[in-house]
Amino acid sequence: MFETLFAQMMASGALELIAVVLAIVYLLLVMREHIACWYAAFVSTAIFLYIFSDVKLYMESGLQVYYLAMAVYGWSRWRKGGGHSKDGKTLLISRWRLQQHVVALLLILVATASTTILLQTYTDAELPLLDSFTTWGAIVTTFMVARKILENWIYWLVIDAISIYLYVDRELYFTALLFAVYIVIIFFGWATWLRRYRNQPRSA
């Protein structure tokens, strides 16, 4: 069983593996609030754009286009920060109010329902509901990362857990393994950002 799984993973190609490694590098750098994370994100995203379109995950493919734009936005936002340094650490971590989370969740649910119907009606998309939910969830959460919103780690936990099933179903085993690693990193990321948030100046 394990030999078969390993063979299938290797057959999925070196390109996917490269994208996975860069994606892990991205998240580790995000955890450290290092601006280089956005370079790793851009290259990894470009590779995943090709991979997801090839397996008919159309919403995930569209998400990669958004990721490319957000990599540029995130880099610009972190670089400018407070206007004093380029290491990404001048933009302080902040939190959203309850009302902001409610709006974000409603946006995700409405957008998910809309695109699920469109995909079911007009395309041959696989798993359109999950594809839509993880895509819209990731769109909102990536914006939170770019703005250094603490709760982004909680959002990612839910999205990544669902994504594992999505990628296993599409036989993207390296990518499924990536998201399993993500879940582990998320706990460290949350703890790291929470500690830094608590140590920030009260005026922040």
Side-chain angles (χ1 to χ4, degrees), residues 139-153:
I139 285 174
V140 171
T141 310
T142 302
F143 175 78
M144 295 170 70
V145 175
R147 299 300 297 265
K148 290 193 179 180
I149 305 301
L150 176 63
E151 292 86 359
N152 85 84
W153 298 102

Side-chain angles (χ1 to χ4, degrees), residues 69-82:
M70 287 303 295
V72 176
Y73 171 76
W75 173 82
S76 176
R77 179 76 181 178
W78 285 30
R79 181 181 65 87
K80 293 177 182 178

